[in-house]
Amino acid sequence: MSLRLTVDGPRWRAHLLATAAGHPGIVPVAKGNGYGFTIGRLARRVQWLHEHAEQTGTPVDLMAVGTYRELAQAASRYAGDLLVLTPWRPVGGAVEVPEATDHRVVHTISRVQDLRDLTDRDPGARFVLEQLTSMRRHGMTRRELAEAAEVVADRRLPGLRGLALHLPLNNASHLGEVTRLVNDAVAAGIATRTVFVSHLTRDELVRLRSTYPDFSFRPRIGTDLWLGDRGALTVTSTVLDVHPLDRGEAFGYRGRSMPTSGHLLVVSGGTAHGIGLEAPSGEQSIRARAATLARGGMDAAGFVRSPFSIDGKQRLFAEPPHMQASMLFVPSGARVPAIGEDIDVRVRFTATDFDDVVVG
Ligand SMILES: *Cc1c(COP(=O)(O)O)cnc(C)c1O
């Protein structure tokens, strides 16, 4: 009776090993909802990846979490170092890391004043220096990076672990941008030869490594690691109830009625799980909408597509999803699943909280 993620274990683990093998120096990312798996489960899996270093050819001595608050979920399940992706600031969780975890943390520094502040507090703190990319999220400009390099040199800081670049998710090549940023860092006299990057293809990494043979490029990977083999992942929802409905009969929170007869299905999965409304239909043009209206279709009557499907057919929500369940409409003529049966759901893994994750 749940919204469940079922993982084909052997296939998923084979994909994880292959991804690590193809990305030497990989830094697995586990943040937010843990890509649907939870951060704790992923942290255990990162430990497992590290233990398979002989097979993959790459130790996994570092994993990344998103925020300071997330450290605790990873720290008890993974023994290596923990990179926090959200930049350090002199407030909140960043300055309250428990001592037991503190020595394993690698901070992300995106402002010169934060580098001074962090190392005033802890001269031995470990950190990466984030450069501003075309994402324009966090990071230092070329001038600021040069200033940071001076701080590192003047204070003889031992904790510099590398540069960090967060690149956009686009199809165009990142090589020009990365080359410019690495050249900026070299010109700034930064005393590190490690660059942490995101969203580069394997081919781009290979080319960068040949352009900068004395540098080590370490890819931070979340989505392509955990969710890269979608065929290994199945999401299902349990049918909780079924009610036959005649045309015109009322149902639901708002007492609306059905323009045609069929069945009302109550299934697991609602707003608390991250189940949301889908776009009404693929047909967005005014002409297409007018044609749908003329046909008197269900979507014309205001029923929207749901992410749930039965026998391969995507079904309409009978009304917007409830907190933990959703009501679907099954038109007469279609097979009505039994109570207790599982049906398929399409979800965004990064926005879904499953009741159950079953790894086979
Ligand atoms: C989330 C994140 C990643 C991983 O992104 P994916 O698209 O899930 O691989 C890498 N770097 C930073 C800074 C991030 O915030």
Side-chain angles (χ1 to χ4, degrees):
M1 304 241 293
S2 51
L3 186 71
R4 174 179 298 135
L5 168 59
T6 305
V7 182
D8 176 338
R11 183 168 165 175
W12 189 56
R13 289 188 288 272
H15 168 76
L16 301 182
L17 291 171
T19 306
H23 292 90
I26 187 171
V27 180
V29 175
K31 64 186 178 186
N33 71 339
Y35 294 82
F37 295 88
T38 73
I39 293 174
R41 181 176 280 102
L42 296 186
R44 271 198 298 272
R45 202 41 70 184
V46 178
Q47 181 65 32
W48 174 87
L49 272 176
H50 178 64
E51 286 158 13
H52 285 72
E54 233 172 81
Q55 195 175 332
T56 62
T58 186
V60 188
D61 56 359
L62 177 68
M63 70 172 282
V65 295
T67 64
Y68 284 90
R69 190 179 280 274
E70 290 168 353
L71 279 170
Q73 294 167 67
S76 56
R77 297 169 175 102
Y78 168 68
D81 287 337
L82 301 155
L83 172 67
V84 181
L85 297 171
T86 300
W88 188 89
R89 294 287 185 262
V91 289
V95 293
E96 291 160 7
V97 179
E99 229 172 294
T101 339
D102 202 26
H103 68 285
R104 291 167 57 197
V105 172
V106 178
H107 304 275
T108 295
I109 291 291
S110 70
R111 302 187 305 169
V112 182
Q113 71 198 74
D114 291 335
L115 178 60
R116 293 202 179 90
D117 200 337
L118 171 67
T119 55
D120 279 345
R121 294 162 194 252
D122 177 5
R126 297 179 309 161
F127 57 91
V128 295
L129 295 175
E130 180 158 18
Q131 285 177 272
L132 193 67
T133 69
S134 55
M135 283 268 298
R136 293 286 191 282
R137 191 164 78 174
H138 303 294
M140 290 182 269
T141 61
R142 175 166 37 170
R143 192 177 43 74
E144 289 161 344
L145 189 69
E147 209 183 315
E150 276 173 35
V151 174
V152 172
D154 290 350
R155 297 189 174 195
R156 298 176 199 282
L157 296 176
L160 175 59
R161 283 293 175 275
L163 299 165
L165 311 179
H166 192 38
L167 299 157
L169 270 171
N170 57 19
N171 299 320
S173 171
H174 296 102
L175 283 179
E177 178 166 16
V178 176
T179 304
R180 184 174 54 72
L181 291 166
V182 172
N183 289 345
D184 284 353
V186 172
I190 285 287
T192 180
R193 288 291 176 267
T194 302
V195 187
F196 295 91
V197 292
S198 55
H199 303 147
L200 292 183
T201 63
R202 267 174 71 171
D203 184 51
E204 286 174 326
L205 285 163
V206 167
R207 288 172 62 184
L208 279 170
R209 286 173 181 137
S210 76
T211 309
Y212 299 96
D214 52 335
F215 274 79
S216 132
F217 290 90
R218 300 194 60 180
R220 292 177 310 232
I221 309 181
T223 306
D224 288 349
L225 177 64
W226 310 119
L227 304 173
D229 184 2
R230 290 295 167 104
L233 313 173
T234 311
V235 181
T236 53
S237 148
T238 313
V239 176
L240 302 173
D241 232 326
V242 179
H243 307 287
L245 268 191
D246 280 338
R247 179 172 174 205
E249 259 190 293
F251 67 89
Y253 278 127
R254 290 168 189 82
R256 87 197 286 199
S257 63
M258 205 56 81
T260 162
S261 66
H263 283 81
L264 194 63
L265 232 61
V266 186
V267 301
S268 312
T271 54
H273 301 90
I275 297 290
L277 293 173
E278 301 261 295
S281 79
E283 303 177 350
Q284 292 298 352
S285 77
I286 290 172
R287 244 176 94 186
R289 293 221 128 263
T292 315
L293 273 166
R295 282 200 308 270
M298 292 290 289
D299 46 354
F303 290 86
V304 294
R305 271 201 216 179
S306 82
F308 298 89
S309 54
I310 300 167
D311 302 332
K313 177 119 180 66
Q314 204 178 346
R315 288 303 173 198
L316 299 172
F317 276 122
E319 72 171 358
H322 300 172
M323 187 96 155
Q324 293 174 312
S326 294
M327 291 178 119
L328 311 179
F329 180 67
V330 180
S332 50
R335 186 184 73 86
V336 180
I339 292 175
E341 191 175 325
D342 285 334
I343 64 172
D344 290 324
V345 199
R346 203 184 56 207
V347 297
R348 272 179 67 197
F349 287 86
T350 51
T352 307
D353 278 315
F354 297 102
D355 295 311
D356 268 336
V357 180
V358 181
V359 184

